Amino acid sequence: MSKLYTDLGKLIAHLDIPNGSRISFHHHLRNGDYVLNAVMAELAKQGKRDLTINASAFFDCHEPLIELIEKGVVSGLECNYMSAKLGAAIGLGILEKPVIFRTHGGRPKAILDAVTPIDFAFIAAPTADYQGNLSGKYGPSACGSLGYAFPDARAAKTVIALSDNLIDEALADYSIPGCEVDYVVSLEQIGNPQGIVSGTTQVTRDPIGLLMAQLAVKTIQASGLLKDGFSFQTGAGGASLASAKYLHELMLEQGIKGSFGLGGITSYLVKMLEDGCFETLYDVQCFDLAAVESIRNNPQHREVSAMHYAAPSKQGALVDHLDLVILGATEIDRNFNVNVHTNSQGQIMGGSGGHSDTAAGAKLAMIIAPLIRARMPLILPEIQCVSTPGESIDCVVTQYGIAVNPARSELKARLEDAGLPLKSISELEQIATKISGRPQIQKASGRVIAEILYRDGSRLSEIRQKA
Amino acid sequence: MSKLYTDLGKLIAHLDIPNGSRISFHHHLRNGDYVLNAVMAELAKQGKRDLTINASAFFDCHEPLIELIEKGVVSGLECNYMSAKLGAAIGLGILEKPVIFRTHGGRPKAILDAVTPIDFAFIAAPTADYQGNLSGKYGPSACGSLGYAFPDARAAKTVIALSDNLIDEALADYSIPGCEVDYVVSLEQIGNPQGIVSGTTQVTRDPIGLLMAQLAVKTIQASGLLKDGFSFQTGAGGASLASAKYLHELMLEQGIKGSFGLGGITSYLVKMLEDGCFETLYDVQCFDLAAVESIRNNPQHREVSAMHYAAPSKQGALVDHLDLVILGATEIDRNFNVNVHTNSQGQIMGGSGGHSDTAAGAKLAMIIAPLIRARMPLILPEIQCVSTPGESIDCVVTQYGIAVNPARSELKARLEDAGLPLKSISELEQIATKISGRPQIQKASGRVIAEILYRDGSRLSEIRQKA
């Protein structure tokens, strides 16, 4: 009994994938991923058509998909995030069916509930042993956590691992057990290490970003949440990382012993773990080399599945135990609804990822974003789409002041007591308009090119083509 | 949002468990388990009736079940193993419905396939954090692996953890994620440490056992399997452990680097890991304190789920990669069919556990057993029931010689070449009969009191009441 193949073409031929199949990928190799393109090229070569791809995210490296969509090889896309190159092509209307956007927590729920069943899951595996036990922590293409691939491995009808590091040993530290893996195929290289993880993630040097980060940390302090047992997630954006850095200094200064850091993990959270600011890191994806090294070596740095990270359930996920999440935004409306799917022009260039999952779960969901970006105001009367409902957002920190969701009167009182520069969301909107003028952009009104599903699977919003 | 309860009675009342519910338990606390009795007593107190219990195993400590069966609180039992006290009561006919026996691999398959759905799973958790992340490795009632509880946690409609070590930290080294746990209830003590694991497991000192162990190891040597990459499982019986000990010495002597040790883990396998005889231990259950300590501290000693251990699937389980398994037997017939469910009198006092799973998967499935035990011959024309089909058994090692399954001509030739004392199964039967006489025991012929399901769920055999 061997599930090992050395030739992807032969394996694809053996699988006999029907036209119309639903296939999946995960995005831990990020913009260095070779696996999706290699599999799709082979499927195209073997004449497959009408495939639906469900990937946790699409990056610019997946640009070859555009041609495959145009040729009819691919007719459906589902994801939690889509970067600008593919997004621009979708905006041109190349795909007939709307892209289905989910969240990092909604996707595993939908897969496990068979709302979006997966016929063939292709898993990029930095290491695979001879039994098909898989790990992301070891090998030349190591990416650390494989958290987003867990639902695919568990629920897909057929699971194919692709690896450039097949080992003859019995892997002890596997992430996905061989009993969930049907086939393992060796590839020369599954990814470009340059693109998989950044060498280092960088705190912003922009003075506006640093100013916002200082305001963010003062807000956290004033919120009353920063005490022993504190739990925290932040994105890898420059201002968010700067906030993490200030928070780190503050926690050390005040001797605060936090509980856990969560989410996509960077060197900043690793340093906080090592300095005792957290007991544990729960890691669904590593963003840099320091995170990969830490998850490999530090038993307190734990890989978690996408389900455990963020899936909505009565049992609760890790996001439901978050005290604080720091998030970004492209656009915000007066009701605190946030768009992170498109740019101000309505072109797809992002997605929820864990945005709405963490915002829903965290006690304090804080947006940090510059009030003006490339001459476009952050706050607008109407936004291109809703990625995260405003009711999940507690406050918005900008360089011109902090707007607290009016539903959070206790938070507002605390920030007032601390003397922080509070503004209403309308005041912030007015300041922005005064500086940049009222933008002349209309909300796109063409056909629906993408549907945005909330984490529970309900329809939250849509993205339309520019007329 | 808190899933924590401090009072079992209040939680049971809150759960509002309907009569006729199907509830489950796991057996890692073995004969020291307090959890099953505590839960069942509370259910009885609250007037529940007609419950079906699916436990991975029942031990003598679960004797209070007899009264609950007689009172109608419990009307169905399903398990992979049942020790003698409850077995004797079943033999007296106290339960109307037959006991359903599965295997350690068949149970998770049946649970996950909803062949035997679980309404309420009760999980004895030596440590639980405030989110419901569970571990067996830490705390005063530490038992090590929680492998058999994984299917229950994943598939039960409601999952209740019971723990005597609730911690306020964010557990990094959890076995079962909090997102699979609905409730956590604190108990003063979940088990008696004396009964949970043996202080030490002991190699036999019986000269017949040692003789058989020597024959077993010579057989392994002659089989050609003992080379780099060798993988191995053995039970915790005295002669099996003696075989492991001799094997250990031989592997060190010959510098053989094995691949993995599997199954229920004892200090003997731990020593083999530490001495480099294996790369990895895959542990579904710890049998002694050394194993608990090792799984806690040695990253090469890995907890595995019951699915990964042994569930039959097209992807294969760890048992499918075994070179050798050493197993025991109560009775064997001329076709190598093995009974490990009853004693020679037909009284239930065991069960498959992983017997038929490992026998089906291993390249060499070896029975080691004395030809006469308490004046009863091992080999009989007719056995009380079939636990493992003879086609899975490769050879039987006794102190009077080795019988090879006639279907294994290559193995037979190798053992012959090595000059080992081969006998046919009939010759061994005749030797036994000559020594102990032909036993006057009839196969029980009353009503069916237990059904033995093979690992794939098909009906393999049955146990009848003594007429």
Side-chain angles (χ1 to χ4, degrees):
Chain A
M1 190 195 73
S2 176
K3 52 179 88 167
L4 304 185
Y5 275 73
T6 52
D7 186 293
L8 177 61
K10 280 185 188 150
L11 173 58
I12 298 272
H14 169 77
L15 293 174
D16 200 16
I17 295 177
N19 291 339
S21 288
R22 304 173 54 80
I23 68 180
S24 82
F25 297 92
H26 65 105
H27 74 280
H28 295 91
L29 302 187
R30 301 173 64 75
N31 206 30
D33 176 45
Y34 290 164
V35 163
L36 187 147
N37 292 339
V39 169
M40 293 313 302
E42 195 55 46
L43 289 167
K45 194 170 145 195
Q46 297 193 19
K48 307 300 177 189
R49 297 191 59 79
D50 196 23
L51 303 169
T52 291
I53 306 181
N54 181 330
S56 48
F58 294 109
F59 283 84
D60 281 344
C61 63
H62 300 129
E63 202 179 3
L65 274 181
I66 295 170
E67 197 186 328
L68 299 183
I69 293 168
E70 287 167 338
K71 286 183 172 164
V73 175
V74 174
S75 64
L77 295 181
E78 307 187 1
C79 62
N80 310 336
Y81 180 95
M82 178 182 285
S83 63
K85 282 192 181 173
L86 191 53
I90 296 298
L92 294 173
I94 61 166
L95 193 67
E96 200 173 316
K97 285 187 274 187
V99 175
I100 305 295
F101 277 104
R102 291 192 180 79
T103 73
H104 281 337
R107 180 180 186 272
K109 178 176 161 59
I111 290 175
L112 293 169
D113 290 352
V115 168
T116 178
I118 307 294
D119 298 316
F120 298 89
F122 293 91
I123 297 184
T127 290
D129 77 7
Y130 68 100
Q131 299 188 25
N133 297 305
L134 311 182
S135 171
K137 298 180 192 171
Y138 312 95
S141 304
C143 61
S145 177
L146 291 180
Y148 295 122
F150 280 62
D152 308 52
R154 191 173 297 172
K157 291 190 196 85
T158 301
V159 175
I160 303 100
L162 301 95
S163 186
D164 52 11
N165 190 39
L166 291 181
I167 61 170
D168 214 25
E169 297 156 38
L171 196 56
D173 186 18
Y174 60 82
S175 303
I176 291 172
C179 63
E180 295 180 351
V181 177
D182 292 85
Y183 300 97
V184 178
V185 59
S186 59
L187 282 193
E188 204 183 326
Q189 212 177 355
I190 60 168
N192 174 357
Q194 304 282 325
I196 296 172
V197 286
S198 342
T200 53
T201 31
Q202 293 285 352
V203 163
T204 187
R205 288 182 191 177
D206 167 35
I208 292 175
L210 294 175
L211 175 65
M212 294 191 301
Q214 279 165 348
L215 268 185
V217 170
K218 283 179 187 161
T219 302
I220 298 162
Q221 255 190 302
S223 74
L225 292 169
L226 191 62
K227 55 190 180 197
D228 286 354
F230 177 69
S231 58
F232 174 50
Q233 174 166 343
T234 183
S240 301
L241 289 180
S243 309
K245 189 168 169 281
Y246 292 143
L247 197 61
H248 183 181
E249 289 164 8
L250 191 64
M251 289 177 79
L252 287 181
E253 211 176 283
Q254 303 193 350
I256 293 165
K257 304 281 172 206
S259 169
F260 65 89
L262 178 63
I265 301 295
T266 63
S267 62
Y268 294 92
L269 280 166
V270 168
K271 277 186 216 129
M272 290 176 84
L273 176 69
E274 289 169 355
D275 285 349
C277 299
F278 297 118
E279 290 153 356
T280 297
L281 294 183
Y282 292 125
D283 186 339
V284 74
Q285 177 182 14
C286 296
F287 280 126
D288 58 25
L289 288 171
V292 175
E293 200 175 302
S294 169
I295 201 172
R296 190 190 292 138
N297 298 318
N298 188 338
Q300 292 306 114
H301 184 157
R302 171 69 189 252
E303 178 184 50
V304 298
S305 72
M307 297 80 92
H308 194 196
Y309 169 42
S313 76
K314 63 183 163 73
Q315 295 82 8
L318 289 160
V319 294
D320 296 310
H321 297 276
L322 267 178
D323 285 327
L324 168 71
V325 64
I326 299 180
L327 296 165
T330 312
E331 298 180 319
I332 305 177
D333 72 15
R334 292 166 190 166
N335 295 316
F336 291 79
N337 294 310
V338 176
N339 168 19
V340 290
H341 277 82
T342 75
N343 64 14
S344 326
Q345 319 294 321
Q347 185 187 300
I348 296 170
M349 43 150 285
S352 272
H355 199 285
S356 63
D357 298 307
T358 52
K363 289 201 187 78
L364 175 58
M366 171 191 289
I367 302 286
I368 176 167
L371 194 58
I372 317 280
R373 202 193 267 123
R375 293 192 195 160
M376 290 297 301
L378 175 69
I379 299 160
L380 293 161
E382 194 179 34
I383 58 180
Q384 296 285 342
C385 65
V386 177
S387 310
T388 295
E391 65 204 31
S392 297
I393 302 298
D394 296 294
C395 65
V396 178
V397 175
T398 74
Q399 73 273 41
Y400 291 96
I402 303 161
V404 178
N405 189 323
R408 305 298 188 283
S409 50
E410 196 206 319
L411 177 63
K412 194 179 171 197
R414 285 176 175 270
L415 303 196
E416 256 166 7
D417 288 352
L420 288 172
L422 297 191
K423 300 268 189 299
S424 74
I425 191 90
S426 304
E427 286 169 336
L428 284 183
E429 186 195 345
Q430 283 157 20
I431 295 171
T433 311
K434 209 173 284 177
I435 299 169
S436 66
R438 186 169 291 282
Q440 293 310 310
I441 294 162
Q442 290 286 312
K443 188 165 170 181
S445 59
R447 74 174 178 90
V448 174
I449 54 170
E451 292 182 9
I452 299 173
L453 305 185
Y454 191 52
R455 56 200 303 252
D456 62 4
S458 64
R459 185 168 166 151
L460 183 63
S461 180
E462 59 198 19
I463 301 170
R464 290 180 177 270
Q465 201 171 3
K466 302 286 275 185
Chain B
M1 192 194 76
S2 177
K3 49 180 89 170
L4 305 183
Y5 275 74
T6 51
D7 186 293
L8 177 61
K10 279 185 190 151
L11 174 59
I12 299 270
H14 169 77
L15 292 173
D16 198 18
I17 296 178
N19 291 339
S21 289
R22 305 174 55 80
I23 66 180
S24 82
F25 298 91
H26 65 103
H27 75 279
H28 295 91
L29 301 186
R30 300 173 65 76
N31 206 32
D33 176 47
Y34 289 163
V35 163
L36 188 146
N37 291 338
V39 170
M40 294 313 302
E42 194 56 47
L43 288 167
K45 194 171 145 196
Q46 297 194 20
K48 307 300 177 188
R49 297 190 59 77
D50 197 23
L51 302 170
T52 291
I53 305 180
N54 180 332
S56 49
F58 293 109
F59 283 83
D60 281 345
C61 63
H62 300 130
E63 202 177 4
L65 273 181
I66 296 169
E67 198 186 324
L68 298 184
I69 292 168
E70 288 167 339
K71 286 183 172 164
V73 176
V74 174
S75 64
L77 296 181
E78 307 187 0
C79 62
N80 310 337
Y81 181 95
M82 177 183 283
S83 63
K85 282 191 179 172
L86 191 53
I90 296 297
L92 294 173
I94 61 164
L95 192 68
E96 201 174 311
K97 285 188 273 188
V99 174
I100 305 295
F101 276 105
R102 293 191 179 82
T103 73
H104 281 337
R107 180 180 185 272
K109 179 177 161 57
I111 289 174
L112 292 170
D113 290 352
V115 169
T116 179
I118 307 294
D119 297 315
F120 298 89
F122 292 91
I123 298 184
T127 290
D129 77 9
Y130 67 100
Q131 298 189 24
N133 297 306
L134 311 180
S135 170
K137 297 179 191 173
Y138 311 95
S141 304
C143 62
S145 178
L146 291 180
Y148 294 122
F150 279 63
D152 308 50
R154 190 171 299 174
K157 291 191 197 86
T158 301
V159 175
I160 302 101
L162 300 96
S163 187
D164 51 12
N165 190 41
L166 289 184
I167 61 170
D168 214 25
E169 297 155 40
L171 195 57
D173 186 19
Y174 60 81
S175 302
I176 291 173
C179 62
E180 295 179 351
V181 177
D182 292 85
Y183 300 98
V184 178
V185 59
S186 59
L187 282 193
E188 202 182 328
Q189 211 177 356
I190 61 168
N192 175 356
Q194 305 280 322
I196 296 173
V197 286
S198 341
T200 54
T201 32
Q202 293 285 352
V203 163
T204 185
R205 288 180 190 179
D206 166 36
I208 291 175
L210 293 175
L211 174 65
M212 293 191 301
Q214 278 165 348
L215 267 184
V217 171
K218 283 181 187 161
T219 301
I220 297 161
Q221 255 188 304
S223 75
L225 292 170
L226 192 61
K227 56 190 177 199
D228 286 354
F230 177 70
S231 59
F232 173 53
Q233 175 167 343
T234 182
S240 300
L241 289 180
S243 308
K245 188 168 171 282
Y246 291 144
L247 197 60
H248 184 182
E249 289 164 6
L250 191 63
M251 288 177 81
L252 287 181
E253 212 177 282
Q254 303 193 352
I256 293 165
K257 303 281 173 205
S259 168
F260 66 90
L262 178 64
I265 300 296
T266 63
S267 62
Y268 294 93
L269 281 166
V270 169
K271 278 185 214 131
M272 291 176 84
L273 176 69
E274 288 168 354
D275 285 351
C277 299
F278 297 119
E279 292 153 355
T280 297
L281 294 183
Y282 292 125
D283 185 339
V284 73
Q285 178 183 15
C286 296
F287 279 127
D288 57 27
L289 288 173
V292 176
E293 202 174 301
S294 169
I295 202 172
R296 189 190 293 136
N297 298 318
N298 189 339
Q300 292 305 115
H301 184 159
R302 170 70 191 248
E303 177 184 52
V304 298
S305 71
M307 297 77 93
H308 194 194
Y309 169 44
S313 76
K314 63 183 163 72
Q315 294 83 4
L318 289 161
V319 294
D320 297 310
H321 297 275
L322 267 178
D323 285 326
L324 169 71
V325 64
I326 301 180
L327 296 164
T330 313
E331 298 180 323
I332 303 176
D333 72 16
R334 291 164 189 165
N335 295 315
F336 291 78
N337 294 310
V338 176
N339 168 20
V340 289
H341 277 81
T342 75
N343 64 14
S344 326
Q345 319 293 320
Q347 185 187 301
I348 296 168
M349 44 152 282
S352 273
H355 199 284
S356 63
D357 298 306
T358 52
K363 290 203 187 77
L364 176 57
M366 172 192 287
I367 301 286
I368 176 166
L371 195 58
I372 316 280
R373 202 193 267 121
R375 292 195 194 155
M376 290 297 301
L378 174 70
I379 298 159
L380 294 161
E382 195 178 35
I383 58 181
Q384 296 285 343
C385 64
V386 178
S387 310
T388 295
E391 63 206 34
S392 298
I393 303 297
D394 297 293
C395 67
V396 177
V397 176
T398 73
Q399 72 274 44
Y400 290 97
I402 303 159
V404 177
N405 188 325
R408 305 297 189 280
S409 50
E410 197 207 319
L411 177 65
K412 194 177 172 199
R414 284 176 174 271
L415 304 195
E416 255 166 5
D417 287 352
L420 288 172
L422 297 189
K423 298 270 190 294
S424 74
I425 192 89
S426 302
E427 285 170 334
L428 285 182
E429 184 196 346
Q430 282 158 21
I431 294 170
T433 311
K434 209 175 280 175
I435 298 167
S436 66
R438 185 168 291 282
Q440 293 309 306
I441 294 163
Q442 291 285 310
K443 188 167 172 180
S445 59
R447 73 174 177 92
V448 174
I449 53 169
E451 292 182 8
I452 299 172
L453 304 185
Y454 190 51
R455 57 200 301 257
D456 63 3
S458 64
R459 184 165 166 154
L460 183 64
S461 180
E462 58 194 25
I463 302 169
R464 288 178 177 274
Q465 200 171 8
K466 303 285 279 185

